[in-house]
């Protein structure tokens, strides 16, 4: 019908915005164990980290002042505070711990241990300030320096080495478009799914929610006792199980097109919406009919992507994994 065609075009317009990094407000939730607002440093903890190189590809490091790791070295990183954006938190940590001002180039990696701990690592560039010296030591750090990654340096933890390598790799080859958080408020931790299936005729299908109107489905990571101990991608698997419980399929979370956060109204806008690319495949030839998996819920439907430009763009991003990686660290 003309109305249905218009609704599908609206969804494809929304998808186009997400692919271009603009984001889109979250209007409804399709799978949610609870709808309690998250509160930073109370029910959730966000860590921000900056990877910054100089012209010699030396990386900016800070020396810890905390008693438990005093004198050891680490990337500038720390907890976000109330009433700041993710980028503001990263800039503040870099300034406090190294003395340098910086601008973000791109979100480099999201690491998560469920709603209770999420780390956002940025590739950034120094824009000013003076590198912190021993004479300026304070409770934030003892000093900062550039590290060539070859000389011996006592590290607080080796988990930063893959972050540094990812930054170097991105400088050499941008395997996903520069991606920064979009200032759109959300009160929950949730994932908007760009969930795709490619059939035997090479048609690309999108899973849509149909409650109230057609939309890309959204699943919530709850903050109750049962959900807090699960990683964020668990909420994706929960939604897939709800709509395709009997299908022999496998789902792959490929990465993040972008994320949306505001944070200026503590306790009300501390949530984040991740726009996540997920692919669905049949687990075996015998399970496959060539068609999208059968949906057992009347809350969802499949939509064949008709816009060929959008289809080509989505297929390219999917095939090359041109998305920000998201890693669960359980």
């Amino acid at each position: 019908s003309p109305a249905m065609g218009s609704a599908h075009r609206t969804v494809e317009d929304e998808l186009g915005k997400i692919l271009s990094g603009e984001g889109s407000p979250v209007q409804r939730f399709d799978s949610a164990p609870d709808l309690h607002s998250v509160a930073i440093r109370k029910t959730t903890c966000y860590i921000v980290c900056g990877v910054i190189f100089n012209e010699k590809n030396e990386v900016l490091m800070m020396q810890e002042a905390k008693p438990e790791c005093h004198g050891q070295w680490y990337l500038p990183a720390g907890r976000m505070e109330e009433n700041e954006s993710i980028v503001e938190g990263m800039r503040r940590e870099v300034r406090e711990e190294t003395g340098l001002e910086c601008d973000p180039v791109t979100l480099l990696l999201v690491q998560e241990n469920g709603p209770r701990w999420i780390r956002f690592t940025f590739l950034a560039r120094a824009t000013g300030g003076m590198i912190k010296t021993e004479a300026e030591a304070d409770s934030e750090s003892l000093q900062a320096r550039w590290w060539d990654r070859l000389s011996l340096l006592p590290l607080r933890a080796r988990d930063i080495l893959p972050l540094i390598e990812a930054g170097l790799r991105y400088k050499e080859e941008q395997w996903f478009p520069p991606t920064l958080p979009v200032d759109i408020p959300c009160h929950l931790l949730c994932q908007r799914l760009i969930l795709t299936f490619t059939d035997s005729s090479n048609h690309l299908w999108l899973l849509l929610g149909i409650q109230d109107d057609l939309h890309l489905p959204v699943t919530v990571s709850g903050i109750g006792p049962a959900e807090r101990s699960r990683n964020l991608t668990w909420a994706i698997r929960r939604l897939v199980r709800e709509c395709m419980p009997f299908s022999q399929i496998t789902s792959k979370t490929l990465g993040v097109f972008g994320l949306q956060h505001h944070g200026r109204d503590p306790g009300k806008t501390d949530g984040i919406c991740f726009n996540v690319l997920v692919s669905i495949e049949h687990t075996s030839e015998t399970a496959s009919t060539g068609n999208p998996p059968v949906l057992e819920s009347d809350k969802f439907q499949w939509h064949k992507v008709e816009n060929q430009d959008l289809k080509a763009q989505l297929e390219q991003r999917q095939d090359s994994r041109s998305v920000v990686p998201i890693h669960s660290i359980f």
Side-chain angles (χ1 to χ4, degrees), residues 88 111 131 169 301 308 327:
E88 286 170 345
Q111 296 163 293
I131 201 158
R169 178 187 168 200
Q301 73 176 35
Q308 293 304 302
H327 293 166

Side-chain angles (χ1 to χ4, degrees), residues 254-323:
L254 301 179
V256 175
F257 284 123
L259 59 89
Q260 304 170 188
H261 173 260
H262 181 65
R264 297 306 198 293
D265 193 354
K268 296 181 180 179
T269 61
D270 288 334
I272 294 174
C273 175
F274 296 91
N275 295 315
V276 184
L277 177 60
V278 181
S279 69
I280 290 283
E281 296 177 356
H282 289 293
T283 53
S284 67
E285 289 295 325
T286 55
S288 175
T289 63
N291 298 317
V294 174
L295 299 176
E296 304 290 343
S297 169
D298 60 5
K299 294 166 53 179
F300 304 94
Q301 73 176 35
W302 287 108
H303 164 63
K304 185 167 72 173
V305 180
E306 301 286 1
N307 182 318
Q308 293 304 302
D309 288 341
L310 191 62
K311 177 177 182 283
Q313 188 180 355
L314 188 52
E315 287 174 337
Q316 184 276 323
R317 299 286 296 272
Q318 180 170 288
D319 293 345
S320 62
R321 289 212 174 193
S322 181
V323 283

Side-chain angles (χ1 to χ4, degrees), residues 1-10 214:
S1 71
M4 186 62 72
S6 175
H8 283 140
R9 285 193 295 275
T10 299
L214 293 180

Side-chain angles (χ1 to χ4, degrees), residues 187-243:
H187 68 286
L188 302 174
L189 272 175
C190 60
Q191 292 106 72
R192 177 191 280 119
L193 305 189
I194 298 85
L195 191 149
T196 68
F197 175 84
T198 302
D199 68 20
S200 55
S201 300
N202 202 37
H203 295 131
L204 185 67
W205 297 82
L206 274 179
L207 183 70
L208 300 183
I210 61 175
Q211 286 192 310
D212 299 327
D213 59 13
L214 293 180
H215 58 275
L216 296 169
V218 178
T219 183
V220 175
S221 293
I223 58 175
E227 289 270 328
R228 277 178 59 80
S229 61
R230 301 188 187 277
N231 60 33
L232 298 185
T233 54
W234 170 261
I236 297 173
R237 295 194 296 273
R238 186 186 65 233
L239 183 143
V240 171
R241 281 200 314 273
E242 288 171 359
C243 61

Side-chain angles (χ1 to χ4, degrees), residues 174-185:
Q174 295 186 1
W175 76 94
F176 57 84
T179 303
L180 295 175
V182 181
D183 188 3
I184 299 176

